PDB file of all heavy atoms in Angstrom:
ATOM      1  N   LEU A 119    -189.513 -18.716  18.981  1.00  0.00           N
ATOM      2  CA  LEU A 119    -190.768 -18.234  18.355  1.00  0.00           C
ATOM      3  C   LEU A 119    -191.853 -18.145  19.368  1.00  0.00           C
ATOM      4  O   LEU A 119    -191.887 -18.966  20.368  1.00  0.00           O
ATOM      5  CB  LEU A 119    -191.237 -19.193  17.232  1.00  0.00           C
ATOM      6  CG  LEU A 119    -190.309 -19.395  15.985  1.00  0.00           C
ATOM      7  CD1 LEU A 119    -190.933 -20.567  15.168  1.00  0.00           C
ATOM      8  CD2 LEU A 119    -190.234 -18.153  15.199  1.00  0.00           C
ATOM      9  N   ILE A 120    -192.787 -17.230  19.211  1.00  0.00           N
ATOM     10  CA  ILE A 120    -193.987 -17.141  20.055  1.00  0.00           C
ATOM     11  C   ILE A 120    -195.194 -17.261  19.224  1.00  0.00           C
ATOM     12  O   ILE A 120    -195.308 -16.630  18.151  1.00  0.00           O
ATOM     13  CB  ILE A 120    -194.033 -15.822  20.817  1.00  0.00           C
ATOM     14  CG1 ILE A 120    -192.840 -15.703  21.836  1.00  0.00           C
ATOM     15  CG2 ILE A 120    -195.336 -15.640  21.574  1.00  0.00           C
ATOM     16  CD1 ILE A 120    -192.737 -14.368  22.525  1.00  0.00           C
ATOM     17  N   VAL A 121    -196.101 -18.128  19.583  1.00  0.00           N
ATOM     18  CA  VAL A 121    -197.433 -18.275  18.920  1.00  0.00           C
ATOM     19  C   VAL A 121    -198.520 -17.727  19.809  1.00  0.00           C
ATOM     20  O   VAL A 121    -198.576 -18.156  21.004  1.00  0.00           O
ATOM     21  CB  VAL A 121    -197.739 -19.734  18.623  1.00  0.00           C
ATOM     22  CG1 VAL A 121    -199.132 -19.846  17.949  1.00  0.00           C
ATOM     23  CG2 VAL A 121    -196.687 -20.290  17.658  1.00  0.00           C
ATOM     24  N   SER A 122    -199.227 -16.814  19.373  1.00  0.00           N
ATOM     25  CA  SER A 122    -200.267 -16.139  20.207  1.00  0.00           C
ATOM     26  C   SER A 122    -201.634 -16.276  19.610  1.00  0.00           C
ATOM     27  O   SER A 122    -201.856 -15.928  18.441  1.00  0.00           O
ATOM     28  CB  SER A 122    -199.903 -14.602  20.330  1.00  0.00           C
ATOM     29  OG  SER A 122    -200.926 -13.948  21.084  1.00  0.00           O
ATOM     30  N   TYR A 409    -202.392  -6.702  22.817  1.00  0.00           N
ATOM     31  CA  TYR A 409    -201.810  -7.488  21.683  1.00  0.00           C
ATOM     32  C   TYR A 409    -200.576  -6.731  21.143  1.00  0.00           C
ATOM     33  O   TYR A 409    -199.503  -7.314  20.873  1.00  0.00           O
ATOM     34  CB  TYR A 409    -202.792  -7.733  20.590  1.00  0.00           C
ATOM     35  CG  TYR A 409    -202.748  -9.172  20.028  1.00  0.00           C
ATOM     36  CD1 TYR A 409    -203.911  -9.802  19.566  1.00  0.00           C
ATOM     37  CD2 TYR A 409    -201.538  -9.777  19.860  1.00  0.00           C
ATOM     38  CE1 TYR A 409    -203.825 -11.089  19.049  1.00  0.00           C
ATOM     39  CE2 TYR A 409    -201.441 -11.102  19.299  1.00  0.00           C
ATOM     40  CZ  TYR A 409    -202.609 -11.705  18.908  1.00  0.00           C
ATOM     41  OH  TYR A 409    -202.543 -12.950  18.347  1.00  0.00           O
ATOM     42  N   ILE A 412    -197.721  -7.032  23.506  1.00  0.00           N
ATOM     43  CA  ILE A 412    -197.115  -8.429  23.473  1.00  0.00           C
ATOM     44  C   ILE A 412    -196.149  -8.446  22.317  1.00  0.00           C
ATOM     45  O   ILE A 412    -194.981  -8.955  22.487  1.00  0.00           O
ATOM     46  CB  ILE A 412    -198.173  -9.498  23.281  1.00  0.00           C
ATOM     47  CG1 ILE A 412    -198.933  -9.692  24.620  1.00  0.00           C
ATOM     48  CG2 ILE A 412    -197.602 -10.805  22.779  1.00  0.00           C
ATOM     49  CD1 ILE A 412    -200.187 -10.533  24.564  1.00  0.00           C
ATOM     50  N   VAL A 413    -196.540  -7.959  21.165  1.00  0.00           N
ATOM     51  CA  VAL A 413    -195.640  -7.952  19.987  1.00  0.00           C
ATOM     52  C   VAL A 413    -194.422  -6.993  20.212  1.00  0.00           C
ATOM     53  O   VAL A 413    -193.325  -7.365  19.833  1.00  0.00           O
ATOM     54  CB  VAL A 413    -196.417  -7.529  18.708  1.00  0.00           C
ATOM     55  CG1 VAL A 413    -195.468  -7.286  17.551  1.00  0.00           C
ATOM     56  CG2 VAL A 413    -197.553  -8.516  18.370  1.00  0.00           C
ATOM     57  N   ALA A 416    -191.960  -8.818  22.614  1.00  0.00           N
ATOM     58  CA  ALA A 416    -191.259  -9.878  21.887  1.00  0.00           C
ATOM     59  C   ALA A 416    -190.217  -9.314  20.921  1.00  0.00           C
ATOM     60  O   ALA A 416    -189.108  -9.860  20.825  1.00  0.00           O
ATOM     61  CB  ALA A 416    -192.283 -10.770  21.070  1.00  0.00           C
ATOM     62  N   ALA A 417    -190.561  -8.183  20.265  1.00  0.00           N
ATOM     63  CA  ALA A 417    -189.553  -7.538  19.356  1.00  0.00           C
ATOM     64  C   ALA A 417    -188.323  -7.082  20.095  1.00  0.00           C
ATOM     65  O   ALA A 417    -187.208  -7.098  19.557  1.00  0.00           O
ATOM     66  CB  ALA A 417    -190.248  -6.367  18.675  1.00  0.00           C
ATOM     67  N   ILE A 421    -187.631 -11.788  19.098  1.00  0.00           N
ATOM     68  CA  ILE A 421    -188.379 -13.020  18.964  1.00  0.00           C
ATOM     69  C   ILE A 421    -189.574 -12.797  17.968  1.00  0.00           C
ATOM     70  O   ILE A 421    -190.440 -11.942  18.249  1.00  0.00           O
ATOM     71  CB  ILE A 421    -188.931 -13.529  20.333  1.00  0.00           C
ATOM     72  CG1 ILE A 421    -187.792 -13.690  21.294  1.00  0.00           C
ATOM     73  CG2 ILE A 421    -189.709 -14.820  20.088  1.00  0.00           C
ATOM     74  CD1 ILE A 421    -188.279 -14.033  22.669  1.00  0.00           C
ATOM     75  N   PRO A 422    -189.654 -13.481  16.860  1.00  0.00           N
ATOM     76  CA  PRO A 422    -190.794 -13.401  16.013  1.00  0.00           C
ATOM     77  C   PRO A 422    -192.078 -13.837  16.669  1.00  0.00           C
ATOM     78  O   PRO A 422    -192.057 -14.816  17.476  1.00  0.00           O
ATOM     79  CB  PRO A 422    -190.480 -14.289  14.799  1.00  0.00           C
ATOM     80  CG  PRO A 422    -189.054 -14.566  14.902  1.00  0.00           C
ATOM     81  CD  PRO A 422    -188.713 -14.471  16.383  1.00  0.00           C
ATOM     82  N   VAL A 423    -193.165 -13.159  16.345  1.00  0.00           N
ATOM     83  CA  VAL A 423    -194.468 -13.557  16.903  1.00  0.00           C
ATOM     84  C   VAL A 423    -195.365 -14.077  15.739  1.00  0.00           C
ATOM     85  O   VAL A 423    -195.534 -13.381  14.783  1.00  0.00           O
ATOM     86  CB  VAL A 423    -195.187 -12.368  17.621  1.00  0.00           C
ATOM     87  CG1 VAL A 423    -196.558 -12.821  18.121  1.00  0.00           C
ATOM     88  CG2 VAL A 423    -194.325 -11.878  18.770  1.00  0.00           C
ATOM     89  N   ILE A 424    -195.930 -15.205  15.935  1.00  0.00           N
ATOM     90  CA  ILE A 424    -196.885 -15.781  14.991  1.00  0.00           C
ATOM     91  C   ILE A 424    -198.264 -15.498  15.544  1.00  0.00           C
ATOM     92  O   ILE A 424    -198.661 -16.085  16.585  1.00  0.00           O
ATOM     93  CB  ILE A 424    -196.685 -17.266  14.742  1.00  0.00           C
ATOM     94  CG1 ILE A 424    -195.307 -17.524  14.190  1.00  0.00           C
ATOM     95  CG2 ILE A 424    -197.797 -17.852  13.894  1.00  0.00           C
ATOM     96  CD1 ILE A 424    -194.959 -18.994  13.957  1.00  0.00           C
ATOM     97  N   CYS A 425    -198.983 -14.612  14.962  1.00  0.00           N
ATOM     98  CA  CYS A 425    -200.368 -14.241  15.435  1.00  0.00           C
ATOM     99  C   CYS A 425    -201.355 -15.157  14.779  1.00  0.00           C
ATOM    100  O   CYS A 425    -201.601 -15.052  13.548  1.00  0.00           O
ATOM    101  CB  CYS A 425    -200.625 -12.761  15.156  1.00  0.00           C
ATOM    102  SG  CYS A 425    -199.582 -11.667  16.108  1.00  0.00           S
ATOM    103  N   GLN A 444    -194.949  -4.930  13.147  1.00  0.00           N
ATOM    104  CA  GLN A 444    -195.740  -5.935  12.433  1.00  0.00           C
ATOM    105  C   GLN A 444    -195.291  -7.286  12.752  1.00  0.00           C
ATOM    106  O   GLN A 444    -194.104  -7.584  12.719  1.00  0.00           O
ATOM    107  CB  GLN A 444    -195.579  -5.664  10.917  1.00  0.00           C
ATOM    108  CG  GLN A 444    -196.548  -6.521  10.004  1.00  0.00           C
ATOM    109  CD  GLN A 444    -197.990  -5.992  10.136  1.00  0.00           C
ATOM    110  OE1 GLN A 444    -198.219  -4.954  10.730  1.00  0.00           O
ATOM    111  NE2 GLN A 444    -198.892  -6.677   9.469  1.00  0.00           N
ATOM    112  N   PRO A 445    -196.211  -8.226  13.096  1.00  0.00           N
ATOM    113  CA  PRO A 445    -195.834  -9.577  13.465  1.00  0.00           C
ATOM    114  C   PRO A 445    -195.266 -10.289  12.204  1.00  0.00           C
ATOM    115  O   PRO A 445    -195.475  -9.937  11.066  1.00  0.00           O
ATOM    116  CB  PRO A 445    -197.205 -10.247  13.793  1.00  0.00           C
ATOM    117  CG  PRO A 445    -198.020  -9.112  14.241  1.00  0.00           C
ATOM    118  CD  PRO A 445    -197.608  -7.928  13.344  1.00  0.00           C
ATOM    119  N   ALA A 446    -194.457 -11.329  12.524  1.00  0.00           N
ATOM    120  CA  ALA A 446    -193.785 -12.035  11.391  1.00  0.00           C
ATOM    121  C   ALA A 446    -194.742 -12.827  10.526  1.00  0.00           C
ATOM    122  O   ALA A 446    -194.610 -12.834   9.306  1.00  0.00           O
ATOM    123  CB  ALA A 446    -192.735 -12.994  12.016  1.00  0.00           C
ATOM    124  N   VAL A 447    -195.731 -13.426  11.149  1.00  0.00           N
ATOM    125  CA  VAL A 447    -196.606 -14.322  10.386  1.00  0.00           C
ATOM    126  C   VAL A 447    -198.018 -14.210  10.962  1.00  0.00           C
ATOM    127  O   VAL A 447    -198.209 -14.121  12.193  1.00  0.00           O
ATOM    128  CB  VAL A 447    -196.142 -15.813  10.457  1.00  0.00           C
ATOM    129  CG1 VAL A 447    -197.174 -16.751   9.865  1.00  0.00           C
ATOM    130  CG2 VAL A 447    -194.815 -15.966   9.777  1.00  0.00           C
ATOM    131  N   PHE A 448    -199.021 -14.274  10.131  1.00  0.00           N
ATOM    132  CA  PHE A 448    -200.410 -14.373  10.480  1.00  0.00           C
ATOM    133  C   PHE A 448    -200.887 -15.756  10.101  1.00  0.00           C
ATOM    134  O   PHE A 448    -200.664 -16.161   8.917  1.00  0.00           O
ATOM    135  CB  PHE A 448    -201.285 -13.341   9.921  1.00  0.00           C
ATOM    136  CG  PHE A 448    -201.092 -11.965  10.414  1.00  0.00           C
ATOM    137  CD1 PHE A 448    -200.250 -11.056   9.774  1.00  0.00           C
ATOM    138  CD2 PHE A 448    -201.686 -11.554  11.617  1.00  0.00           C
ATOM    139  CE1 PHE A 448    -200.015  -9.745  10.217  1.00  0.00           C
ATOM    140  CE2 PHE A 448    -201.457 -10.229  12.095  1.00  0.00           C
ATOM    141  CZ  PHE A 448    -200.596  -9.300  11.448  1.00  0.00           C
TER     142      PHE A 448
END
Side-chain angles (χ1 to χ4, degrees):
L119 297 173
I120 294 174
V121 177
S122 177
Y409 220 145
I412 285 170
V413 172
I421 304 173
V423 178
I424 297 177
C425 293
Q444 189 72 3
V447 174
F448 289 97

